Structures are given as structure tokens and as C-alpha cells.
Amino acid sequence: MESIAAGQKANDLEAYWMPFTANRQFKENPRMIVGADGMYFKTSDGRDLLDGIAGLWCCNAGHNRPRIIKAIQKQAVELDYAPAFQMGHPKQFELASRLAALMPGDLNRVFFTNSGSESVETALKIAIAYHRLRGEGHRSRLIGREKGYHGVNFGGMSVGGMPANRKMFGSLLTGVDHLRHTHGIAKNRYSKGIPSHGNELADDLERLCELHDPSTIAAVIVEPLAGSAGVILPPEGYLQRLRKICDRHGILLIFDEVITGFGRLGTPFAVNKFGVEPDLVTSAKALTNGVIPMGAVFAQDKIYDAFMQGPPNMIEFFHGYTYSGNPMACAAALGTLDTYEEEGLLTRAAELSDYWQQAVHSLKGLPHVIDLRNLGLIAGIELEAFPGAPTKRAFEVFLKAYEAGLLIRTTGDTIALSPPLIIEKKQIDFAFETLANIIRKLE
Ligand SMILES: Cc1ncc(COP(=O)(O)O)c(C=O)c1O
């Protein structure tokens, strides 16, 4: 069979139903990646593509990293799989301990999943079961936030707040409500770093407490920084205020750190950055540098302890996945943590963030740019939508950037950038110069 690189026929692309992709557009003009190394992808037509989004916010150490590759190769020969239930293998315990050591305070217990979506489902189930175990089974309501993204399974979709991800899928979970979102460019336009206005939006939780009665609410889940809805930053003091209200009413706070985890903001987690300790934290993606699917949920000791009751031979939590703590995934994660540690990557974004911020805001004043947002090594570049055709303008930038050797991501009319944390200054320059040239020529 002819290889894709040599020009496969369009028909050969038909079987695969691609996720979150314009399938017909893609299959007309395929964009194939056939290799990756360091900061670059290699395309099937032989071009280098600067990875401006760490794969999908997951390859924080860049690509083709020797520590990770060696760890996987060794593991495949030594132990390919071990049953996840009623059996263990040493790397699960080693990994959980190393992860817990990255977290502050009481976030010392780690449950393994295979993705961000599964981490979210797991955290929501833990929250509801925790209250029941404490004799507060009436607390089953879940609160998410408008514009939130918590993956694509039913729990995450229900607490999520992106209309396109919800509208096709029926009535979703019952007993869910949403806080107002914090996207306020009227007051915060062109903020550098954390925006100063809007922490009072946390008080929206008081409105929901009044409406539903706090005794019915199990947990609130938010992304400390919302990525998928277009890089929406928490206003100064917002997360702290949310924590206080949760405490006042006995509500658990869950941070969804699937994209903010593992150095993206210049600290190991957003928890460290904002100095707010939630009860549960979800993670995935950069946990294994994206190399093997894996997620992890961090729980405070008090939560784990609440489950550890009843006869000791009984299963305490009726939940888990065939691949929870899979040996290959654990090996990849340990190799990833070694790489992060050796290269100081969990704090490198802090060293680069001033340079990055300057580069992001160099786009101010270009046609159609209506806001610029940044934190750590994340940027959101919001464009004015093409009249009558939302998303068209940003998608055009995506296609032109691809042609020019830069991979970006778009959501709505916002361009999101989140490069591997190994990026060099000259590559930052290339990314923003490329974008400026494209945006300047937009219709
Ligand atoms: C905050 C957040 N939660 C959950 C998810 C879902 O993760 P996954 O695609 O691994 O299921 C994502 C994915 O982008 C995310 O950004």
C-alpha cells in the first residue's frame, strides 16, 4: 500500500471518524503529522511545524524525550500489564507518592484514570460519595461554570458550560447548576497576566446557595484558568473568594487542572500559583507528557480517610478503570517527572513569562485583534468574529499558520497558544511574528 506521505487517496481517509474535527474539510485537505522532535512536528510534506500548543496542552517537555522513551521501552519488556483491581505493581505507588509531593497541604491521595474526562467523572463521584459517607447524602448537587470545559463524558459535559459541547446530547445530568463565567473584556481588555476586575463574580455561588440551599450542594468544579473556552483567566482574588464561600457552606471545591497542571503557569500546579487549596484536583495530559493516556485525581486526606471505613476486606470505592495505574503509563509518567525535574520545567514558564507577555502584547493594535490575554506560558488572542460567520476568521489564521510552519489552536474566534515548556526565545519570536504577518493580511 502506498504511504500517506507518498500521497494516499482521499478514500483511504474515510474510515476514521475524527474527534473535534471538521472531518470533511480535513479529508479534502489533510494535514498529516508523521514525526516529532523537541519543539517541532514533521509534516507528511516534509516541513517542520513549530508546536505552539504542546500537542494539545500535553507535551510540556516537548517531543521525543529520551527519558520517557527509555522508561516505556524498559517497562514493556519488564511488565506490560498488571490487573488494576485487587492487585498492584510498584510503579503505581512510587508515582502516586511523587505526585503527592508536588502538591501542597493535604492533597496527598492519588487515584489514577486514563484521561482528563475520566479524572473529572472520578472527582465528581468521589465528592458525592464523600458526603454520603459522612451522613450528608442530601448533598448531591454539582455546580460548574459557564464556559467551563471538563471533558466530554456525561458528568463533565453536564458541569461544563460550552454550549456546542452540550446542546446535542439531551438533558444531561440532573441536579447541576452553573456559576456565571469570568470573561469580562469590557473591564479587563489587554490585561497583562491576572485581570484586576471581577472577583465579585465568585459571589454568584451565594446566589446558587440561596436558590438550592447549600445543604443540597456537593461540590463546585472550576478550571483555575479556563483553556478550551478561549483562555479565560481568574480575576485577582476570585479563586480565594470561591474557596471561602465553599468553606462557609461545607461545599467541596474541585480544581480541574488538566491543562494548568505540570508547569504551565510557572509552578507545578495552579494550586501552588494561586495559594488556594481545593479539596480535589483533576489532572491528565502533561502527566505523561501526552505520550501514553493517563489521568490522576488528587484528594485531600480527609476525603480518603472518609472512605476507609467498614470491614477491611470490603472494597471502599466502587470505581476504577481497567487501565487505572497501567504499568506503561506509570513508567511514562515517571520518565516525564524525571525530565521535568532534571530540566527545571515545572518552573521554567515563570522565567519566560515576561518575555512571553511582551510577545503576546506586541499584537495589540493589529486589525481584528480585540483582546490579548496571558499567564505563564499561555496566550489567548481574541479576534473580532467575521460578520455572520463566527469561528471563520480564527480558523483561517489556523490554516495559514499551518502553511507558515506554526501549529496553533483556535476556539471560537480566539487563538490559544501553550507551547512546550522547553521553548526558546527565538521560537517565541517566530510564533508571534508569523501570527502578526497573518493577522495583518486578514480580510
Ligand atoms: C480543563 C479540562 N478538563 C478536562 C479535559 C478533558 O481531557 P481529555 O481530553 O483527556 O478527556 C480537558 C481537555 O482539554 C480540559 O482542558
Side-chain angles (χ1 to χ4, degrees), residues 101-140:
L102 292 176
M103 278 291 177
D106 293 341
L107 288 160
N108 294 318
R109 310 295 179 156
V110 183
F111 193 100
F112 290 124
T113 71
N114 307 293
S115 65
S117 297
E118 288 182 1
S119 291
V120 167
E121 303 303 301
T122 300
L124 298 177
K125 286 174 73 175
I126 291 175
I128 291 172
Y130 165 75
H131 288 298
R132 188 182 148 112
L133 286 163
R134 294 166 50 252
E136 292 199 30
H138 44 79
R139 285 187 184 269
S140 60

Side-chain angles (χ1 to χ4, degrees), residues 14 60 106 160 169 203 221 245 275 282 360 390 396 434:
E14 286 307 313
N60 283 8
D106 293 341
F169 307 109
D203 295 350
I221 180 166
I245 301 173
T282 57
V360 174
E396 190 181 329
T434 303

Side-chain angles (χ1 to χ4, degrees), residues 115-117 149-151 223 228 256 258-259 285:
S115 65
S117 297
Y149 181 63
H150 301 291
E223 300 155 272
S228 300
D256 185 345
V258 167
I259 61 162
K285 292 199 190 254

Side-chain angles (χ1 to χ4, degrees), residues 11-212:
N11 274 351
D12 299 331
L13 304 181
E14 286 307 313
Y16 179 38
W17 187 347
M18 301 174 73
F20 277 123
T21 297
N23 273 254
R24 289 158 301 163
Q25 195 277 345
F26 181 94
K27 289 172 188 184
E28 275 294 306
N29 292 295
R31 298 174 293 279
M32 295 288 194
I33 289 170
V34 295
D37 189 54
M39 278 299 299
Y40 294 91
F41 285 118
K42 180 72 83 188
T43 63
S44 57
D45 53 356
R47 295 181 304 118
D48 285 332
L49 198 57
L50 182 73
D51 182 0
I53 51 172
L56 267 180
W57 307 75
C58 47
C59 309
N60 283 8
H63 301 275
N64 193 19
R65 301 312 317 266
R67 276 280 208 172
I68 305 171
I69 295 166
K70 274 196 204 115
I72 297 169
Q73 286 172 333
K74 189 162 170 281
Q75 188 62 41
V77 180
E78 196 176 291
L79 173 68
D80 51 359
Y81 179 80
F85 310 153
Q86 302 286 20
M87 296 296 289
H89 65 86
K91 287 202 174 64
Q92 293 167 329
F93 297 89
E94 183 188 346
L95 178 59
S97 304
R98 280 184 65 181
L99 289 170
L102 292 176
M103 278 291 177
D106 293 341
L107 288 160
N108 294 318
R109 310 295 179 156
V110 183
F111 193 100
F112 290 124
T113 71
N114 307 293
S115 65
S117 297
E118 288 182 1
S119 291
V120 167
E121 303 303 301
T122 300
L124 298 177
K125 286 174 73 175
I126 291 175
I128 291 172
Y130 165 75
H131 288 298
R132 188 182 148 112
L133 286 163
R134 294 166 50 252
E136 292 199 30
H138 44 79
R139 285 187 184 269
S140 60
R141 197 176 295 280
L142 300 168
I143 307 294
R145 190 171 57 190
E146 295 166 352
K147 294 189 187 289
Y149 181 63
H150 301 291
V152 291
N153 294 342
F154 268 91
M157 202 171 39
S158 302
V159 292
M162 294 180 67
N165 291 354
R166 295 162 51 90
K167 72 174 180 196
M168 299 297 284
F169 307 109
S171 52
L172 312 184
L173 286 192
T174 56
V176 172
D177 211 336
H178 292 79
L179 299 167
R180 291 198 188 100
H181 66 76
T182 64
H183 189 35
I185 61 174
K187 282 191 177 160
N188 288 320
R189 200 184 299 270
Y190 300 118
S191 291
K192 293 186 170 158
I194 297 288
S196 13
H197 301 284
N199 76 33
E200 69 285 354
L201 287 163
D203 295 350
D204 204 33
L205 182 55
E206 293 285 15
R207 173 180 67 88
L208 297 181
C209 285
E210 212 170 300
L211 179 66
H212 299 296

